[in-house]
Amino acid sequence: MLTLVTACGQSAAPAPAAPATPPASSGEATKPAEEAKVLKIGVIQIVEHPALDAARDGFIAKLAANGFEKDKQVTYDIKSAQGEMPNAITIAQKFAGDKVDLILAIGTPAVQAAAQSTTDIPILFTAVTDPVAAGLVKSMDAPGANVTGTTDMNPVEEQLSLIKQLKADAKSVGIIYSAGEVNSKVQVDIANEVAGKLGLTIQEAAITSPTEVKQAAESMIGKVDAYYVPTDNIVVASISALLTVAEAQKIPVVAGEENSVKSGAITTYGIDYSLLGAQTADMAAKILKGEKKPGEMPVEAQKEMKLVINTKAAEKMGVKLPEDLVKKAVQTFDQ
């Protein structure tokens, strides 16, 4: 038997063995399971206006319906770039540094900033007209990287045809758009392609800031019979400036989306941004659950379009709404 020797040479008895730990009784409380991780989603919105806000709110509501409720399973860090690309890049870089679990990017410049900042974090986009032209995905069917989402490509030809229904003798249409937005240039190009078959010509005015919208609208007085407002984030955010000119000059305005009609344009045939955001949330849920990777998920478009009109706007612009157009409208605003 091993004995311990003290410093003075005397032997010491071995230390008694520690008593065995008794087995836990069947009634003893067990250690609680580790709480599930709360996921963090960074939201970068290029600018705040009703359409993009609706897409964001639709996303949050539908993701909750998919089991990811705000402040329970997920938290949101929501930022607006205030229409400035440098701000968007700063926000995106912070999200990448914070290692958020997913980025929701709303508007083409916001997605471009996010895609430049990370190739690892899943990025879901919405309110992007042409993600291929913007260099965000390889193709609509196979995005191929960490980016996918929903497109808000407009039925531009159908929307321009509304101008002829409002004003049969219209010949020229003015389009104000932001020179820095790829999605806007895509819509202008489509408008130029289809205008001829409708008996229309397009007058373009490219702007670089919201303060230029009113001046651009005034520069077209006497040259255009109507204005068409594409889903341009800068112009839509400043649509009140254009409407002031249109109402004073009795020039009808057709918009690219519903919220612009609610704000004072006469009509549109297009998508519902709240539903588009919800559709994006369904895609995000599959990624967060580990069922899919962004690169494997085709870019989705909203299948159902709807006709909306604003009767008060028509009155302000001196337009008598055709009876059949009013009957076809899914929703009517009168403010």
Side-chain angles (χ1 to χ4, degrees):
M1 181 176 68
L2 179 64
T3 59
L4 299 178
V5 180
T6 64
C8 59
Q10 295 177 329
S11 297
T21 304
S25 66
S26 58
E28 186 178 346
T30 57
K31 184 180 179 180
E34 185 179 346
E35 290 186 10
K37 176 188 175 186
V38 176
L39 303 176
K40 187 171 185 179
I41 296 177
V43 179
I44 175 172
Q45 193 167 313
I46 188 57
V47 71
E48 291 176 289
H49 62 66
L52 299 191
D53 295 348
R56 179 197 64 217
D57 294 344
F59 178 93
I60 293 172
K62 191 60 184 292
L63 199 60
N66 275 292
F68 297 93
E69 193 172 346
K70 183 180 178 181
D71 297 328
K72 291 186 178 179
Q73 290 80 24
V74 296
T75 60
Y76 291 91
D77 187 358
I78 300 173
K79 304 290 185 186
S80 170
Q82 304 297 323
E84 299 291 338
M85 191 62 177
N87 292 345
I89 293 171
T90 299
I91 294 166
Q93 289 175 342
K94 183 178 187 303
F95 288 163
D98 291 345
K99 296 186 179 347
V100 298
D101 296 286
L102 183 141
I103 295 174
L104 170 65
I106 308 175
T108 301
V111 193
Q112 290 172 324
Q116 291 170 17
S117 300
T118 178
T119 56
D120 301 319
I121 298 170
I123 299 170
L124 266 291
F125 62 74
T126 190
V128 172
T129 302
D130 191 337
V132 177
L136 300 171
V137 297
K138 291 181 180 178
S139 73
M140 300 290 276
D141 292 331
N146 63 318
V147 183
T148 191
T150 56
T151 172
D152 64 351
M153 175 63 81
N154 282 325
V156 177
E157 183 174 351
E158 289 86 345
Q159 291 173 346
L160 288 177
S161 72
L162 291 171
I163 291 172
K164 298 295 285 188
Q165 295 181 57
L166 298 178
K167 195 172 184 178
D169 60 350
K171 299 294 183 185
S172 180
V173 179
I175 303 180
I176 302 169
Y177 70 98
S178 174
E181 286 201 34
V182 175
N183 66 304
S184 303
K185 190 63 171 72
V186 167
Q187 292 172 76
V188 173
D189 289 344
I190 294 172
N192 278 301
E193 288 173 12
V194 303
K197 68 175 75 173
L198 297 171
L200 298 169
T201 58
I202 303 298
Q203 298 287 327
E204 303 176 23
I207 62 167
T208 57
S209 73
T211 58
E212 298 173 13
V213 172
K214 189 172 186 288
Q215 182 180 355
E218 290 174 335
S219 72
M220 294 179 173
I221 295 173
K223 301 175 184 177
V224 301
D225 301 305
Y227 294 113
Y228 170 66
V229 181
T231 54
D232 182 293
N233 293 301
I234 301 299
V235 178
V236 170
S238 306
I239 194 170
S240 60
L242 184 150
L243 293 172
T244 298
V245 176
E247 291 168 4
Q249 299 297 321
K250 305 301 181 188
I251 302 174
V253 178
V254 169
E257 52 85 31
E258 177 184 335
N259 288 283
S260 291
V261 176
K262 190 174 182 180
S263 295
I266 294 177
T267 187
T268 192
Y269 175 73
I271 65 174
D272 183 318
Y273 275 83
S274 179
L275 294 179
L276 192 69
Q279 191 171 344
T280 314
D282 287 336
M283 300 176 71
K286 293 176 183 177
I287 293 170
L288 293 174
K289 291 175 182 177
E291 298 172 0
K292 293 281 188 178
K293 294 182 178 179
E296 305 168 347
M297 304 178 73
V299 175
E300 296 185 11
Q302 194 170 122
K303 296 178 177 62
E304 295 183 8
M305 304 287 177
K306 65 181 184 179
L307 176 68
V308 297
I309 60 173
N310 187 323
T311 56
K312 192 69 173 179
E315 182 183 328
K316 289 180 179 179
M317 295 172 199
V319 173
K320 181 174 174 55
L321 291 168
E323 196 75 28
D324 60 334
L325 192 67
V326 175
K327 288 180 180 178
K328 290 177 184 175
V330 173
Q331 189 166 10
T332 302
F333 301 109
D334 58 358
Q335 54 191 21

